[in-house]
Amino acid sequence: MAGAAGATDLMHSCFFGRDTLLAYTGLATLAELLLSSTAFARTRFSAGRRDIEEARRPVRYQALGQTDAEQAVVLVHGLFVNADHWRRNIDALAKAGLRVYSLDLLGYGYCSKPDPYGEVAASLNGENGRDLGEPEVELGTSWGGRRTVRVAMTHPLGSAYNFYTWSEQLCDFIEQVVDADHTTLVCNSIGSISGLQAAIDRSDLIKGVFIANPNFRELHVSEQLPILVPFVQGVQALLRDTPLGANLFKALAKPETVKQILKEPYYDETQVTDELVDVLLSPLLTEGADRIVFDTLSYSAGPLPEQLLQDPRLTVPVWVCWGEKDPWTPAPRVRALDRYPSVRRVIPIPGVGHCPHDEAPQLVNPLIEEFVQELFTETKFPSAASISS
């Protein structure tokens, strides 16, 4: 990936974590690490707010940009994809003067995939130490209305693959690797929930959250008709716990099939290229990936986007953009997000589907740059920002 002169280019499999990173590579400074073409480090997730040394797991990330750039962005992928889904954004954002990172969330891409219910995963589980319960929350509807329901927050199977684990991974990554004074999260689809939760958990690390097409989690029990919940749970168990799931996965995990599936969320079918299919499918063929897919499909609890956007602990600004041709995201429900104080703008993008950052990067990249610059100006020059507003 080409960048501007003097830019860094990190495209490698990593274990992140500042101290162990430098020791493992034998490099003396972070600058030397950033200038190397391949490097390795280690991560320690925080489980129950304690560092778990023995729970180091490999995490791949990519980085590009000037090492001294004050403004950093961390790109957070959506369901069943990986850091490469941002391959059409990293270079443009780096050329705009940003330090850009994209990482695989735990269980996705080329990141580690520990047994969801094993000892290692249990030590990483972000639900540890949290009082989650089943709060009563006002949510939206597909027609833009409102309804109040109880939201089950704890993973029904106790799996570590949940939004609190991914939130802690993001916070650890920002703190231990990015280490910038001004970091913005840019999230697609279901990654937006991990990003919003991270901004709630550590507002000291994150200046804002940019969302490209939120995901309202139709498989969450609070989003289903009560009469359908037992049926959905039965299908989830059948896919997760019997050979049917593995056989179905093998049947679907073929380039020609994946290409057809992607033509649903992508409105412009010409953007569903062989390259896209390869970067999304190849990691799904690695060991343990199918197990994580069906475990994630069984995650019918946890936080929801409207719940997080109205959380009083969310103190950072949010922009939402969405492709108006997205078949999975009801337009009235997205537009209604502007009722939350944290949401400054809701921006429709015509003629684009569920992944606007990849389908139309020429439209989304400038929005990301504008959002980051606005936040940076407010942080560095608060009086000037108030005058301009």
Side-chain angles (χ1 to χ4, degrees), residues 196-217:
L196 290 171
Q197 186 62 52
I200 289 172
D201 288 344
R202 294 294 305 272
S203 60
D204 58 314
L205 296 176
I206 298 163
K207 298 300 183 184
V209 180
F210 183 99
I211 297 173
N213 283 56
N215 183 297
F216 295 109
R217 303 192 62 205

Side-chain angles (χ1 to χ4, degrees), residues 6 27 49 70 113 141 195 208 213 222 252 265 271 296 316 358:
L27 298 177
R49 304 303 181 273
E70 292 184 84
K113 301 172 178 65
T141 67
N213 283 56
S222 298
L252 295 176
Q271 300 302 317
T296 304
V316 303
D358 187 55

Side-chain angles (χ1 to χ4, degrees), residues 98-177:
L98 305 178
R99 184 149 46 100
V100 189
Y101 297 84
S102 176
L103 76 160
D104 292 341
L105 295 178
L106 185 72
Y108 288 94
Y110 297 100
C111 186
S112 176
K113 301 172 178 65
D115 182 340
Y117 318 107
E119 184 177 353
V120 169
S123 70
L124 300 173
N125 195 330
E127 291 184 350
N128 294 341
R130 295 180 189 255
D131 183 14
L132 297 176
E134 195 171 318
E136 194 171 76
V137 178
E138 182 184 87
L139 301 177
T141 67
S142 60
W143 57 90
R146 307 187 188 196
R147 60 197 171 92
T148 301
V149 298
R150 289 204 170 274
V151 177
M153 300 297 290
T154 305
H155 196 298
L157 304 174
S159 169
Y161 296 101
N162 60 67
F163 294 111
Y164 302 106
T165 303
W166 294 318
S167 165
E168 292 186 358
Q169 179 186 359
L170 289 172
C171 292
D172 284 350
F173 183 78
I174 294 169
E175 188 169 40
Q176 299 172 20
V177 176

Side-chain angles (χ1 to χ4, degrees), residues 14-332:
C14 292
F15 304 75
F16 68 77
R18 180 61 46 76
D19 297 335
T20 50
L21 181 151
L22 296 178
Y24 192 83
T25 59
L27 298 177
T29 66
L30 177 60
E32 288 177 283
L33 169 69
L34 291 175
L35 291 169
S36 65
S37 59
T38 57
F40 295 86
R42 289 189 177 275
T43 180
R44 295 177 301 171
F45 295 126
S46 173
R49 304 303 181 273
R50 296 190 306 273
D51 285 340
I52 305 297
E53 286 282 1
E54 64 274 15
R56 295 171 176 172
R57 311 303 300 169
V59 174
R60 180 190 63 144
Y61 70 90
Q62 307 171 9
L64 187 65
Q66 300 287 346
T67 57
D68 58 353
E70 292 184 84
Q71 303 165 74
V73 295
V74 176
L75 309 174
V76 185
H77 63 75
L79 189 68
F80 304 144
V81 294
N82 60 82
D84 293 325
H85 206 200
W86 298 99
R87 71 203 181 286
R88 304 184 70 186
N89 312 98
I90 295 176
D91 188 62
L93 296 175
K95 288 179 178 177
L98 305 178
R99 184 149 46 100
V100 189
Y101 297 84
S102 176
L103 76 160
D104 292 341
L105 295 178
L106 185 72
Y108 288 94
Y110 297 100
C111 186
S112 176
K113 301 172 178 65
D115 182 340
Y117 318 107
E119 184 177 353
V120 169
S123 70
L124 300 173
N125 195 330
E127 291 184 350
N128 294 341
R130 295 180 189 255
D131 183 14
L132 297 176
E134 195 171 318
E136 194 171 76
V137 178
E138 182 184 87
L139 301 177
T141 67
S142 60
W143 57 90
R146 307 187 188 196
R147 60 197 171 92
T148 301
V149 298
R150 289 204 170 274
V151 177
M153 300 297 290
T154 305
H155 196 298
L157 304 174
S159 169
Y161 296 101
N162 60 67
F163 294 111
Y164 302 106
T165 303
W166 294 318
S167 165
E168 292 186 358
Q169 179 186 359
L170 289 172
C171 292
D172 284 350
F173 183 78
I174 294 169
E175 188 169 40
Q176 299 172 20
V177 176
V178 179
D179 191 25
D181 292 333
H182 193 283
T183 300
T184 302
L185 292 178
V186 178
C187 314
N188 172 235
S189 188
I190 208 165
S192 61
I193 301 178
S194 301
L196 290 171
Q197 186 62 52
I200 289 172
D201 288 344
R202 294 294 305 272
S203 60
D204 58 314
L205 296 176
I206 298 163
K207 298 300 183 184
V209 180
F210 183 99
I211 297 173
N213 283 56
N215 183 297
F216 295 109
R217 303 192 62 205
E218 292 80 359
L219 287 178
H220 195 292
V221 291
S222 298
E223 294 291 327
Q224 300 174 41
L225 293 174
I227 195 172
L228 294 179
V229 171
F231 172 76
V232 172
Q233 290 175 338
V235 173
Q236 290 170 330
L238 190 66
L239 294 174
R240 185 184 65 247
D241 300 331
T242 73
L244 177 63
N247 293 333
L248 178 63
F249 186 87
K250 290 177 183 177
L252 295 176
K254 293 178 169 47
E256 59 276 12
T257 306
V258 171
K259 178 172 280 192
Q260 285 302 121
I261 292 172
L262 287 171
K263 288 180 180 179
E264 181 181 359
Y266 278 71
Y267 181 70
D268 181 359
E269 294 186 0
T270 66
Q271 300 302 317
V272 182
T273 62
D274 291 341
E275 177 196 51
L276 174 65
V277 171
D278 180 63
V279 300
L280 299 188
L281 176 58
S282 293
L284 289 172
L285 301 179
T286 59
E287 183 178 357
D290 58 341
R291 178 183 58 193
I292 306 306
V293 165
F294 292 118
D295 177 79
T296 304
L297 289 175
S298 296
Y299 184 24
S300 53
L304 293 165
E306 290 131 334
Q307 177 184 4
L308 296 176
L309 288 170
Q310 64 189 281
D311 192 313
R313 297 171 297 168
L314 182 65
T315 58
V316 303
V318 177
W319 278 18
V320 178
C321 77
W322 98 99
E324 290 187 308
K325 296 297 185 179
D326 183 351
W328 299 340
T329 309

